[in-house]
Amino acid sequence: MSVLVYTESENNTYKKVAFEAVSYAKGIAEMLGTLVTAVAVNGGDSSQLGKYGADKVLEVSNEAYNKFNAETYASIVAEAAKQESANVVVLTSSANSKFMAPLVAVNLEAGYVANVTELPESTSPFKVTHSVFTNKAFASTEIKTDVKIIGLAKNAYGLKENQAAAAAETYTPNISENNGVEVVSVDKATDKVTIADAEIVVSGGRGLKGPENWGMIEELAETLGAATACSKPVSDMGWRPHSEHVGQTGKPVASNLYIAIGISGAIQHLAGINASKVKVVINTDEEAPFFKAADYGIVGDAFEFVPQLNEKLKAF
Ligand code: FAD
């Protein structure tokens, strides 16, 4: 019996979601009185996983797996789960994890719940809380299968350090190299920090009047190491690329800080960003609905406030 956790990485560097997933896996392992095994495909330094609670790391090292292929990665995770007799498998809620989770579930005949926000309410019966309807509500679901798969929601559990030293093992999964799907190339839309990975998101709305005014938004994002985003009308009008559109019909945001500039706070916009931890709004209209959803609000003109903010932050 063990808890298996899949640890996402890019260019041999673990992503923050990997450490969150290991922290969470450790929490479940403590509830069950068992150990955490991490599986890392072309990952980074395994001691980093130990820091967050991995007792063992199965290191898969193979250039053929450099490009993410859901079928292959799902087979690796499922084989590792079988080898370790894992009864809980922890994935994240990243696009890649969501892509492969159903494949892992079918392989292991396991129940899968996505967007889990907390440690299980109980382990017998095994009940988890997860967000539904784009974070507007929470549901409690019992997973009844022998093996349980959890997709941990981003930023929900946080990082919890442990003092464990992970034992690293080379792992060569016994999987078919030919699963009928080959990823030929991956074209990244941008080299900038993506909305999904960003700790901070700076977002602009129709209040910014036109695409020529986005310089101050990009400057603020660059200073803060943030991703840029926008409301739907802004991308519909072609002021910004569609990849930046956030909300109910756009990308979901679960950053630590979301700064909304010249965005009114329509329900469809808020639906996509309310998983963010701290929300700040800058708007000239103190009656704008965003102020009710925000943690901090500045009633003011973005064209006056944002350049001053940029100046102060740079001097910081
Ligand atoms: P506006 O509503 O026009 O607001 C602009 C704001 O800027 C105003 O509050 C104004 O006071 C402020 N402002 C003006 N000048 C300044 C200034 N100088 N400084 C500071 N503030 C200023 N929208 C999304 O964003 N994402 C979605 O996914 C989405 N999905 C939708 C799905 C459906 C089915 C429908 C019907 C709508 C959807 N919408 C979505 C649209 C949504 O209803 C709103 O129309 C949209 O979010 C408004 O965008 P906005 O806040 O940028 O513009």
mmCIF file of all heavy atoms in Angstrom, residues 259-284:
data_model
loop_
_atom_site.group_PDB
_atom_site.id
_atom_site.type_symbol
_atom_site.label_atom_id
_atom_site.label_comp_id
_atom_site.label_asym_id
_atom_site.label_seq_id
_atom_site.Cartn_x
_atom_site.Cartn_y
_atom_site.Cartn_z
ATOM 1 N N ILE A 259 -4.562 40.779 -10.743
ATOM 2 C CA ILE A 259 -4.765 42.239 -10.769
ATOM 3 C C ILE A 259 -5.617 42.575 -11.988
ATOM 4 O O ILE A 259 -5.196 42.347 -13.134
ATOM 5 C CB ILE A 259 -3.412 42.993 -10.834
ATOM 6 C CG1 ILE A 259 -2.502 42.551 -9.672
ATOM 7 C CG2 ILE A 259 -3.631 44.503 -10.797
ATOM 8 C CD1 ILE A 259 -1.089 43.149 -9.710
ATOM 9 N N ALA A 260 -6.826 43.076 -11.745
ATOM 10 C CA ALA A 260 -7.763 43.380 -12.832
ATOM 11 C C ALA A 260 -7.793 44.885 -13.054
ATOM 12 O O ALA A 260 -8.121 45.654 -12.143
ATOM 13 C CB ALA A 260 -9.155 42.890 -12.463
ATOM 14 N N ILE A 261 -7.448 45.309 -14.264
ATOM 15 C CA ILE A 261 -7.352 46.753 -14.546
ATOM 16 C C ILE A 261 -8.360 47.123 -15.634
ATOM 17 O O ILE A 261 -8.300 46.588 -16.761
ATOM 18 C CB ILE A 261 -5.913 47.098 -14.990
ATOM 19 C CG1 ILE A 261 -4.912 46.634 -13.914
ATOM 20 C CG2 ILE A 261 -5.770 48.601 -15.252
ATOM 21 C CD1 ILE A 261 -3.457 46.737 -14.301
ATOM 22 N N GLY A 262 -9.321 47.964 -15.272
ATOM 23 C CA GLY A 262 -10.341 48.371 -16.250
ATOM 24 C C GLY A 262 -11.249 47.224 -16.654
ATOM 25 O O GLY A 262 -11.685 47.134 -17.795
ATOM 26 N N ILE A 263 -11.531 46.355 -15.695
ATOM 27 C CA ILE A 263 -12.442 45.211 -15.928
ATOM 28 C C ILE A 263 -13.622 45.383 -14.969
ATOM 29 O O ILE A 263 -13.427 45.585 -13.762
ATOM 30 C CB ILE A 263 -11.735 43.860 -15.672
ATOM 31 C CG1 ILE A 263 -10.551 43.699 -16.637
ATOM 32 C CG2 ILE A 263 -12.704 42.695 -15.813
ATOM 33 C CD1 ILE A 263 -9.748 42.418 -16.448
ATOM 34 N N SER A 264 -14.843 45.283 -15.494
ATOM 35 C CA SER A 264 -16.017 45.592 -14.661
ATOM 36 C C SER A 264 -16.303 44.518 -13.621
ATOM 37 O O SER A 264 -16.814 44.816 -12.550
ATOM 38 C CB SER A 264 -17.241 45.811 -15.547
ATOM 39 O OG SER A 264 -17.461 44.665 -16.354
ATOM 40 N N GLY A 265 -15.985 43.254 -13.940
ATOM 41 C CA GLY A 265 -16.275 42.175 -12.987
ATOM 42 C C GLY A 265 -17.594 41.487 -13.290
ATOM 43 O O GLY A 265 -18.337 41.123 -12.366
ATOM 44 N N ALA A 266 -17.887 41.283 -14.578
ATOM 45 C CA ALA A 266 -19.100 40.544 -14.958
ATOM 46 C C ALA A 266 -18.991 39.119 -14.430
ATOM 47 O O ALA A 266 -17.884 38.587 -14.290
ATOM 48 C CB ALA A 266 -19.231 40.528 -16.489
ATOM 49 N N ILE A 267 -20.150 38.520 -14.169
ATOM 50 C CA ILE A 267 -20.171 37.184 -13.549
ATOM 51 C C ILE A 267 -19.390 36.158 -14.379
ATOM 52 O O ILE A 267 -18.700 35.298 -13.839
ATOM 53 C CB ILE A 267 -21.636 36.750 -13.296
ATOM 54 C CG1 ILE A 267 -21.666 35.518 -12.420
ATOM 55 C CG2 ILE A 267 -22.422 36.547 -14.564
ATOM 56 C CD1 ILE A 267 -23.004 35.290 -11.759
ATOM 57 N N GLN A 268 -19.445 36.325 -15.716
ATOM 58 C CA GLN A 268 -18.729 35.366 -16.571
ATOM 59 C C GLN A 268 -17.223 35.539 -16.464
ATOM 60 O O GLN A 268 -16.471 34.596 -16.680
ATOM 61 C CB GLN A 268 -19.147 35.539 -18.050
ATOM 62 C CG GLN A 268 -20.601 35.266 -18.331
ATOM 63 C CD GLN A 268 -21.465 36.503 -18.200
ATOM 64 O OE1 GLN A 268 -21.019 37.555 -17.764
ATOM 65 N NE2 GLN A 268 -22.727 36.373 -18.573
ATOM 66 N N HIS A 269 -16.773 36.730 -16.155
ATOM 67 C CA HIS A 269 -15.335 36.952 -15.957
ATOM 68 C C HIS A 269 -14.924 36.384 -14.592
ATOM 69 O O HIS A 269 -13.952 35.634 -14.491
ATOM 70 C CB HIS A 269 -14.998 38.446 -16.041
ATOM 71 C CG HIS A 269 -13.527 38.715 -15.983
ATOM 72 N ND1 HIS A 269 -12.733 38.686 -17.100
ATOM 73 C CD2 HIS A 269 -12.703 38.958 -14.934
ATOM 74 C CE1 HIS A 269 -11.471 38.915 -16.752
ATOM 75 N NE2 HIS A 269 -11.431 39.091 -15.438
ATOM 76 N N LEU A 270 -15.704 36.730 -13.573
ATOM 77 C CA LEU A 270 -15.356 36.297 -12.217
ATOM 78 C C LEU A 270 -15.343 34.776 -12.104
ATOM 79 O O LEU A 270 -14.545 34.200 -11.356
ATOM 80 C CB LEU A 270 -16.338 36.892 -11.196
ATOM 81 C CG LEU A 270 -16.329 38.420 -11.090
ATOM 82 C CD1 LEU A 270 -17.396 38.890 -10.107
ATOM 83 C CD2 LEU A 270 -14.956 38.942 -10.652
ATOM 84 N N ALA A 271 -16.221 34.095 -12.877
ATOM 85 C CA ALA A 271 -16.294 32.631 -12.805
ATOM 86 C C ALA A 271 -14.951 31.986 -13.099
ATOM 87 O O ALA A 271 -14.634 30.934 -12.558
ATOM 88 C CB ALA A 271 -17.332 32.118 -13.801
ATOM 89 N N GLY A 272 -14.171 32.628 -13.933
ATOM 90 C CA GLY A 272 -12.892 32.024 -14.317
ATOM 91 C C GLY A 272 -11.736 32.402 -13.428
ATOM 92 O O GLY A 272 -10.661 31.808 -13.517
ATOM 93 N N ILE A 273 -11.928 33.383 -12.560
ATOM 94 C CA ILE A 273 -10.759 33.861 -11.799
ATOM 95 C C ILE A 273 -10.947 33.722 -10.286
ATOM 96 O O ILE A 273 -10.056 34.045 -9.517
ATOM 97 C CB ILE A 273 -10.403 35.332 -12.163
ATOM 98 C CG1 ILE A 273 -11.547 36.316 -11.819
ATOM 99 C CG2 ILE A 273 -10.067 35.470 -13.637
ATOM 100 C CD1 ILE A 273 -11.325 37.040 -10.561
ATOM 101 N N ASN A 274 -12.119 33.243 -9.868
ATOM 102 C CA ASN A 274 -12.353 33.279 -8.423
ATOM 103 C C ASN A 274 -11.580 32.232 -7.625
ATOM 104 O O ASN A 274 -11.622 32.236 -6.406
ATOM 105 C CB ASN A 274 -13.847 33.316 -8.059
ATOM 106 C CG ASN A 274 -14.593 32.145 -8.584
ATOM 107 O OD1 ASN A 274 -13.981 31.141 -8.941
ATOM 108 N ND2 ASN A 274 -15.918 32.237 -8.659
ATOM 109 N N ALA A 275 -10.811 31.371 -8.325
ATOM 110 C CA ALA A 275 -9.929 30.465 -7.570
ATOM 111 C C ALA A 275 -8.606 31.151 -7.227
ATOM 112 O O ALA A 275 -7.776 30.577 -6.523
ATOM 113 C CB ALA A 275 -9.664 29.197 -8.375
ATOM 114 N N SER A 276 -8.412 32.370 -7.704
ATOM 115 C CA SER A 276 -7.187 33.101 -7.357
ATOM 116 C C SER A 276 -7.242 33.525 -5.892
ATOM 117 O O SER A 276 -8.314 33.847 -5.377
ATOM 118 C CB SER A 276 -7.035 34.334 -8.252
ATOM 119 O OG SER A 276 -6.684 33.915 -9.544
ATOM 120 N N LYS A 277 -6.060 33.532 -5.273
ATOM 121 C CA LYS A 277 -6.046 33.785 -3.819
ATOM 122 C C LYS A 277 -6.367 35.232 -3.476
ATOM 123 O O LYS A 277 -7.264 35.511 -2.702
ATOM 124 C CB LYS A 277 -4.664 33.435 -3.259
ATOM 125 C CG LYS A 277 -4.397 31.941 -3.184
ATOM 126 C CD LYS A 277 -4.298 31.485 -1.722
ATOM 127 C CE LYS A 277 -4.604 30.014 -1.559
ATOM 128 N NZ LYS A 277 -3.585 29.123 -2.036
ATOM 129 N N VAL A 278 -5.619 36.166 -4.047
ATOM 130 C CA VAL A 278 -5.827 37.590 -3.728
ATOM 131 C C VAL A 278 -6.183 38.324 -5.016
ATOM 132 O O VAL A 278 -5.480 38.205 -6.019
ATOM 133 C CB VAL A 278 -4.551 38.201 -3.101
ATOM 134 C CG1 VAL A 278 -4.745 39.681 -2.814
ATOM 135 C CG2 VAL A 278 -4.185 37.463 -1.823
ATOM 136 N N LYS A 279 -7.312 39.043 -4.967
ATOM 137 C CA LYS A 279 -7.755 39.763 -6.173
ATOM 138 C C LYS A 279 -7.717 41.268 -5.903
ATOM 139 O O LYS A 279 -8.207 41.724 -4.871
ATOM 140 C CB LYS A 279 -9.178 39.344 -6.544
ATOM 141 C CG LYS A 279 -9.284 37.870 -6.848
ATOM 142 C CD LYS A 279 -10.742 37.430 -6.912
ATOM 143 C CE LYS A 279 -10.910 36.002 -6.514
ATOM 144 N NZ LYS A 279 -11.076 35.706 -5.100
ATOM 145 N N VAL A 280 -7.137 41.964 -6.866
ATOM 146 C CA VAL A 280 -7.025 43.428 -6.756
ATOM 147 C C VAL A 280 -7.704 44.021 -7.983
ATOM 148 O O VAL A 280 -7.503 43.543 -9.099
ATOM 149 C CB VAL A 280 -5.532 43.860 -6.735
ATOM 150 C CG1 VAL A 280 -5.405 45.374 -6.689
ATOM 151 C CG2 VAL A 280 -4.809 43.227 -5.560
ATOM 152 N N VAL A 281 -8.510 45.064 -7.785
ATOM 153 C CA VAL A 281 -9.150 45.715 -8.934
ATOM 154 C C VAL A 281 -8.784 47.195 -8.968
ATOM 155 O O VAL A 281 -8.684 47.851 -7.933
ATOM 156 C CB VAL A 281 -10.691 45.501 -8.917
ATOM 157 C CG1 VAL A 281 -11.319 46.010 -7.637
ATOM 158 C CG2 VAL A 281 -11.353 46.159 -10.121
ATOM 159 N N ILE A 282 -8.569 47.676 -10.181
ATOM 160 C CA ILE A 282 -8.335 49.107 -10.400
ATOM 161 C C ILE A 282 -9.402 49.556 -11.392
ATOM 162 O O ILE A 282 -9.442 49.074 -12.536
ATOM 163 C CB ILE A 282 -6.916 49.357 -10.977
ATOM 164 C CG1 ILE A 282 -5.845 48.789 -10.022
ATOM 165 C CG2 ILE A 282 -6.688 50.845 -11.239
ATOM 166 C CD1 ILE A 282 -4.458 48.679 -10.632
ATOM 167 N N ASN A 283 -10.288 50.439 -10.943
ATOM 168 C CA ASN A 283 -11.418 50.815 -11.790
ATOM 169 C C ASN A 283 -11.883 52.221 -11.405
ATOM 170 O O ASN A 283 -11.900 52.567 -10.221
ATOM 171 C CB ASN A 283 -12.562 49.800 -11.589
ATOM 172 C CG ASN A 283 -13.594 49.864 -12.688
ATOM 173 O OD1 ASN A 283 -14.141 50.915 -12.979
ATOM 174 N ND2 ASN A 283 -13.861 48.723 -13.313
ATOM 175 N N THR A 284 -12.276 53.006 -12.389
ATOM 176 C CA THR A 284 -12.736 54.370 -12.102
ATOM 177 C C THR A 284 -14.119 54.385 -11.438
ATOM 178 O O THR A 284 -14.453 55.338 -10.736
ATOM 179 C CB THR A 284 -12.845 55.180 -13.417
ATOM 180 O OG1 THR A 284 -13.396 54.334 -14.412
ATOM 181 C CG2 THR A 284 -11.520 55.740 -13.864
#
